[in-house]
Amino acid sequence: MLSNKVEEALNAQVNAEMWSAYFYLSMSCHFASEGLAGVANWYNVQSQEEQAHALKLIKYLVSRNSRVNLSSIADVPTKWNSIKDALNATLAHEQRVTGMINNLYAVAEEEKDYATREMLNGFISEQVEEEDTVRGLIDKINLIGEDGTGIYQFDKELAARVYTTPAFCK
Ligand code: MG
C-alpha cells in the first residue's frame, strides 16, 4: 500500500496526463480544421501517448492496492496562431510536466517509496525524449518559416507518425 502522500501525488499526475491528452487532442482538432492533416495526426498520436502515461499510473495504483480518483479535466485552449505557436506551447507544457515528474520522484524519495521511484524512471527518460523531439520539430519549422512547400513537406512527414504503446507503459 502507498502512503497517502504518494497516492495523492500519483492521482494528481493521472489528472495531469489526462489534461495533456486533452490538450494535444485539441491541437489535433485545430490543425485538422486548418487542413494540416499530418500535424493533426502527429498531435493525435501524442494524445494517445498521454493516455498511455495515465493508464500506466492507474495500473500502478491498482497494483499497489491504492485508490484511483479520477477528477475533472480542466478546459484546454482551442486555437493556435501557427504550427510554431503550437510547438512552442508543446515544449513549454512538456517542460512543466518534467517539473511535475521530478516533484513526484522527490515525494517518493521523501517517503522512502523505492518501488514508486523505480516505476517513475520510465517517466523521467520519457520526458527527456519528449522535450528533445519537440525541440527538433521547432528547429525544422524555424527553417521552413512561411514557405508553403516546406510546410507541405513538414505536414507530410508528420502524417507518417504511427501510435505504438510506449515501451515503459506496456
Ligand atoms: Mg505524459
Side-chain angles (χ1 to χ4, degrees):
M1 197 114 171
L2 300 170
S3 73
N4 286 341
K5 215 172 159 187
V6 170
E7 186 180 293
E8 261 175 44
L10 289 175
N11 271 290
Q13 193 61 35
V14 168
N15 189 268
E17 299 293 343
M18 290 305 293
W19 191 89
S20 298
Y22 214 40
F23 183 50
Y24 294 139
L25 185 59
S26 184
M27 284 182 173
S28 178
C29 294
H30 168 76
F31 287 110
S33 66
E34 295 283 303
L36 290 159
V39 180
N41 171 67
W42 193 88
Y43 274 111
N44 186 42
V45 172
Q46 191 73 3
S47 177
Q48 286 175 280
E49 272 196 4
E50 299 303 340
Q51 288 179 62
H53 297 167
L55 284 171
K56 162 82 181 176
L57 295 168
I58 288 169
K59 275 192 257 173
Y60 178 73
L61 279 158
V62 172
S63 76
R64 298 300 305 276
N65 196 27
S66 291
R67 293 290 304 167
V68 176
N69 302 310
L70 297 178
S71 46
S72 51
I73 303 166
D75 284 355
V76 289
T78 55
K79 219 176 166 2
W80 291 268
N81 293 327
S82 61
I83 301 172
K84 187 179 169 175
D85 183 28
L87 287 171
N88 282 331
T90 302
L91 181 60
H93 178 62
E94 289 303 331
Q95 286 167 337
R96 264 195 307 277
V97 174
T98 300
M100 286 179 207
I101 298 291
N102 289 344
N103 287 338
L104 208 50
Y105 201 92
V107 170
E109 281 201 326
E110 276 164 32
E111 298 289 297
K112 297 190 167 31
D113 186 340
Y114 303 113
T116 298
R117 207 183 63 174
E118 164 67 21
M119 184 277 297
L120 289 171
N121 283 333
F123 284 87
I124 301 266
S125 315
E126 174 77 1
Q127 284 313 118
V128 172
E129 206 183 299
E130 293 276 22
E131 287 187 28
D132 185 48
T133 303
V134 179
R135 253 186 237 108
L137 292 176
I138 290 172
D139 288 343
K140 280 187 189 172
I141 210 72
N142 281 339
L143 280 173
I144 292 164
E146 302 290 309
D147 178 60
T149 311
I151 292 170
Y152 174 78
Q153 284 298 335
F154 183 82
D155 187 61
K156 215 166 143 181
E157 192 184 308
L158 268 56
R161 187 180 184 190
V162 176
Y163 175 72
T164 49
T165 307
F168 80 100
C169 296
K170 280 178 185 159

